[in-house]
Amino acid sequence: ATIACSAIGFLSPARRGSLMTATLVFYMLCGCLSGYTSSRLYKSFRGRQWQLCTLLTATAFPGLCFFTFIFFNTILAFFRSTASVPFLDLVIVAAMWCCISIPLVFLGAYFGYKAETITFPTVTSTIARAIPEPTFFMKPMVGICLAGMVPFAAAYVELFFIMTSLWMDQFYYVFGFTLVVYLILLITCAEVTVLLCYYQLCAENHRWWWFAFFTAGSTSFYTYIYSFFWFRSLDASKMLITYLLYFGYMFLICTALLLVTGAVGALTSLWFIRKIFGTIKVD
């Protein structure tokens, strides 16, 4: 949503802090959608610990980002850096998370559990069948490691300019092109994941859930590896805090990319597998 608003001109890097503010607001408001999606899927799996599922949805990734940011901000404040954030701003962000985002997640989870259960076209056996020994290239780990190359290659050129803008304090204005590349990235992740999941099903491997998630999410692994090579072109100081900030924040960015691309791959694979099994005629 932030990229789309920037592409049509509502947000601009010239207005200092507008992009970060919009990102926080959109993420906070999307808590309702995340709670609804997680609860709906968890209900279809016949899960019983719905309170834990909703709580992790509301606190896992935001908590990781928030406490990592506090850790780095404390170090910057100790060095009296101008990049440190005032304490009042931290309180405001914490209030937005605890008082708005978390209640919205629970509100979305409430409607998700009240909605109808996602039905499956075939009856699943309670006894898991044995999975045949696959060939080398059909092993799930090999597929996960190789699949991320295709989406990463689709976004490689734009990633260079984004990294340059992010870490070299340069303004970035071509959000329309970024939106197109972002959509290409998601479509590529979905297509590659569906293709590899189909091959796994043909190889009689029914354990496709986490395979689909990490197949699309492996794009983030290549992005993090690329950040190591790109760091060599950054004229950074030799202080330890520089390495902590760069690789720490890149870890958070890649974790977010893992969740986004993994969710796209898993949900697309769910839709695809329901479609192909729904066409089976059983008398």
Side-chain angles (χ1 to χ4, degrees):
T2 305
I3 299 176
C5 290
S6 301
I8 60 180
F10 282 120
L11 300 173
S12 173
R15 294 193 293 270
R16 187 176 180 85
S18 61
L19 291 177
M20 182 58 67
T21 302
T23 302
L24 291 175
V25 171
F26 281 129
Y27 184 86
M28 175 184 63
L29 296 179
C30 286
C32 189
L33 179 61
S34 66
Y36 178 84
T37 305
S38 65
S39 61
R40 190 86 187 274
L41 290 174
Y42 192 69
K43 182 181 179 181
S44 67
F45 298 151
R46 301 176 183 176
R48 299 182 181 274
Q49 298 179 333
W50 62 269
Q51 300 94 334
L52 180 61
C53 173
T54 307
L55 183 63
L56 290 177
T57 303
T59 60
F61 179 68
L64 174 65
C65 294
F66 183 72
F67 289 111
T68 303
F69 178 75
I70 288 181
F71 173 72
F72 289 142
N73 190 71
T74 303
I75 296 177
L76 290 174
F78 177 79
F79 284 99
R80 301 185 182 275
S81 172
T82 56
S84 62
V85 177
F87 178 74
L88 180 60
D89 293 345
L90 293 177
V91 174
I92 293 175
V93 172
M96 292 173 59
W97 176 33
C98 297
C99 301
I100 300 178
S101 179
I102 292 180
L104 284 178
V105 171
F106 277 87
L107 178 64
Y110 172 79
F111 288 105
Y113 287 117
K114 290 295 183 180
E116 295 183 0
T117 305
I118 299 176
T119 58
F120 299 101
T122 57
V123 178
T124 304
S125 174
T126 56
I127 302 176
R129 62 180 301 175
I131 300 175
E133 183 66 25
T135 61
F136 177 77
F137 287 103
M138 290 301 295
K139 291 183 178 180
M141 188 56 65
V142 176
I144 290 174
C145 294
L146 297 179
M149 292 183 181
V150 180
F152 176 77
Y156 169 75
V157 176
E158 189 64 17
L159 180 62
F160 173 81
F161 294 104
I162 293 175
M163 295 277 286
T164 302
S165 173
L166 181 64
W167 294 107
M168 292 187 176
D169 294 329
Q170 298 180 7
F171 283 126
Y172 186 85
Y173 289 100
V174 286
F175 288 102
F177 187 68
T178 304
L179 178 61
V180 174
V181 173
Y182 179 69
L183 294 177
I184 292 175
L185 172 67
L186 297 184
I187 293 173
T188 307
C189 287
E191 291 177 345
V192 171
T193 306
V194 166
L195 179 63
L196 293 183
C197 281
Y198 177 74
Y199 284 146
Q200 289 295 320
L201 292 177
C202 291
E204 301 183 25
N205 185 2
H206 57 273
R207 298 175 180 174
W208 61 271
W209 272 106
W210 287 110
F211 173 78
F213 180 85
F214 285 110
T215 296
S218 61
T219 308
S220 62
F221 302 148
Y222 286 95
T223 305
Y224 195 64
I225 294 174
Y226 170 74
S227 68
F228 281 83
F229 293 95
W230 190 89
F231 183 76
R232 298 168 58 186
S233 64
L234 185 64
D235 189 16
S237 65
K238 303 300 182 181
M239 297 178 62
L240 178 61
I241 183 61
T242 303
Y243 293 88
L244 288 177
L245 288 174
Y246 176 80
F247 292 107
Y249 283 127
M250 282 305 304
F251 174 77
L252 291 181
I253 293 173
C254 293
T255 302
L257 182 63
L258 169 67
L259 296 177
V260 171
T261 54
V264 169
L267 293 176
T268 307
S269 299
L270 172 63
W271 171 83
F272 171 74
I273 290 175
R274 288 184 67 205
K275 283 293 182 180
I276 62 175
F277 277 94
T279 59
I280 300 175
K281 303 297 182 181
V282 180
D283 296 329

